Amino acid sequence: ESIEVEWNSEPLAIGMRSRGLLSVLEALQSDQCALRFSDASTPVLIQPWRNGAADVTRTYVAMPVRL
């Protein structure tokens, strides 16, 4: 599966376990979120996006998987 994102850099493919990612997205209780990471093999910080910025008071961590 794939999800739509806004990305302002070079193309990147990153693998995530869909069940884990969906669980985090449901817990965020937000229609948008910020994903912060260094590259496709480092942990991903996931934060809800509210009022035009990431809500840093709620941060989840997800580990990518190899594609």
Side-chain angles (χ1 to χ4, degrees), residues 43-65:
V44 179
L45 299 179
I46 305 171
Q47 300 164 320
W49 190 263
R50 294 198 172 89
N51 301 319
D55 178 358
V56 297
T57 63
R58 297 181 63 201
T59 302
Y60 297 84
V61 178
M63 295 300 295
V65 295

Side-chain angles (χ1 to χ4, degrees), residues 10-30:
E10 294 295 317
L12 174 74
I14 185 169
M16 304 289 290
R17 295 190 186 276
S18 60
R19 286 188 210 173
L21 183 58
L22 287 174
S23 294
V24 169
L25 295 176
E26 289 173 1
L28 291 178
Q29 299 176 344
S30 178

Side-chain angles (χ1 to χ4, degrees), residues 7-8 13-14 27 31 35 39 43 56 62:
W7 182 254
N8 299 322
I14 185 169
D31 291 338
L35 301 175
D39 58 46
V56 297

